[in-house]
Amino acid sequence: AQSVTQLDSHVSVSEGTPVLLRCNYSSSYSPSLFWYVQHPNKGLQLLLKYTSAATLVKGINGFEAEFKKSETSFHLTKPSAHMSDAAEYFCVVSVKKKLTFGTGTRLTIIP
Amino acid sequence: DAGVTQSPTHLIKTRGQQVTLRCSPKSGHDTVSWYQQALGQGPQFIFQYYEEEERQRGNFPDRFSGHQFPNYSSELNVNALLLGDSALYLCASSLQGGGETQYFGPGTRLLVL
């Protein structure tokens, strides 16, 4: 079985400052890990994915995530927040194409 | 390149009724998964279809059923609707031999009164 824990339900940062969204996972298998973003009243958009290649993964819109097996973590970062980054972010673990989602982190950007 | 499409976008039903939601996968994809996202929560896996058969199922009752057609499109059926079935229903598509990445449609928002 697999599970995902997003450590912060809500993160607020000022525009232009760094973003850190934290995620820990548990999986019986070697997992694939994803971050998805959901803007209000929209579907889910894939930000980035880790599938056992490079541990530092680059995604769209300047986001990155680092896979740390020893810490079972997959934290999402961005050097400089933009107003358009305000959304709900989900950390996801996938095993045999069954996705298990975290509870989400709501990112608020302060102008 | 058409992405994942879902219909309808919104739906209002009353308790006890039945509903059918539809999904067309991204071009070239052959696997469709359905998820339920209740308000304020993360999506929960309902089931997955490949080669017109249900391949995996999450912890949902038999009131939730599905179908996949030869053109890979899929339907989600929910019988005997309950108030608690009100949610955003998301469809995701992928290629069976193409790794774990799934792409989501915009969802169908179901309100049960």
Side-chain angles (χ1 to χ4, degrees):
Chain A
Q2 54 267 8
S3 65
V4 177
T5 302
Q6 292 186 242
L7 299 168
D8 307 290
S9 59
H10 192 191
V11 170
S12 294
V13 301
S14 296
E15 189 176 17
T17 64
V19 174
L20 170 64
L21 305 183
R22 299 182 295 165
C23 171
N24 288 106
Y25 71 91
S26 172
S27 177
S28 303
Y29 300 90
S30 181
S32 294
L33 295 164
F34 303 84
W35 278 96
Y36 283 87
V37 61
Q38 187 174 38
H39 289 91
N41 299 313
K42 300 286 187 181
L44 292 158
Q45 180 183 18
L46 179 64
L47 267 183
L48 50 79
K49 60 183 179 181
Y50 166 78
T51 54
S52 75
T55 56
L56 182 61
V57 180
K58 294 184 183 299
I60 62 171
N61 300 334
F63 283 94
E64 293 183 349
E66 186 172 8
F67 173 72
K68 293 186 177 180
K69 187 175 181 179
S70 60
E71 300 175 10
T72 61
S73 69
F74 191 56
H75 301 335
L76 181 70
T77 61
K78 182 174 181 177
S80 177
H82 191 272
M83 293 301 295
S84 60
D85 295 328
E88 189 87 15
Y89 291 78
F90 292 97
C91 182
V92 180
V93 60
S94 180
V95 176
K96 299 180 181 178
K97 293 190 183 295
K98 179 182 174 182
L99 301 184
T100 300
F101 285 75
T103 51
T105 297
R106 180 169 300 277
L107 177 62
T108 299
I109 311 298
I110 303 165
Chain B
D1 178 22
V4 181
T5 60
Q6 293 185 243
S7 64
T9 56
H10 294 82
L11 206 51
I12 300 175
K13 292 286 187 179
T14 56
R15 281 177 297 174
Q17 285 189 312
Q18 179 263 345
V19 68
T20 297
L21 310 182
R22 296 176 176 83
C23 171
S24 291
K26 183 178 169 66
S27 179
H29 284 183
D30 56 11
T31 301
V32 173
S33 301
W34 287 91
Y35 294 81
Q36 180 196 65
Q37 185 178 20
L39 197 62
Q41 298 182 22
Q44 300 288 319
F45 175 74
I46 303 175
F47 44 53
Q48 181 181 98
Y49 276 84
Y50 170 64
E51 290 185 328
E52 303 179 46
E53 290 187 10
E54 183 182 294
R55 299 293 179 165
Q56 297 188 74
R57 189 178 183 91
N59 189 25
F60 279 80
D62 292 344
R63 299 187 297 109
F64 289 77
S65 63
H67 189 77
Q68 185 179 34
F69 299 93
N71 67 353
Y72 308 122
S73 67
S74 176
E75 289 181 350
L76 164 65
N77 301 292
V78 187
N79 294 321
L81 284 167
L82 304 174
L83 296 180
D85 295 331
S86 296
L88 180 67
Y89 289 86
L90 295 161
C91 168
S93 77
S94 59
L95 185 60
Q96 187 65 23
E100 296 289 319
T101 304
Q102 298 189 37
Y103 296 90
F104 283 83
T108 293
R109 188 164 296 281
L110 172 65
L111 177 62
V112 182
L113 301 176

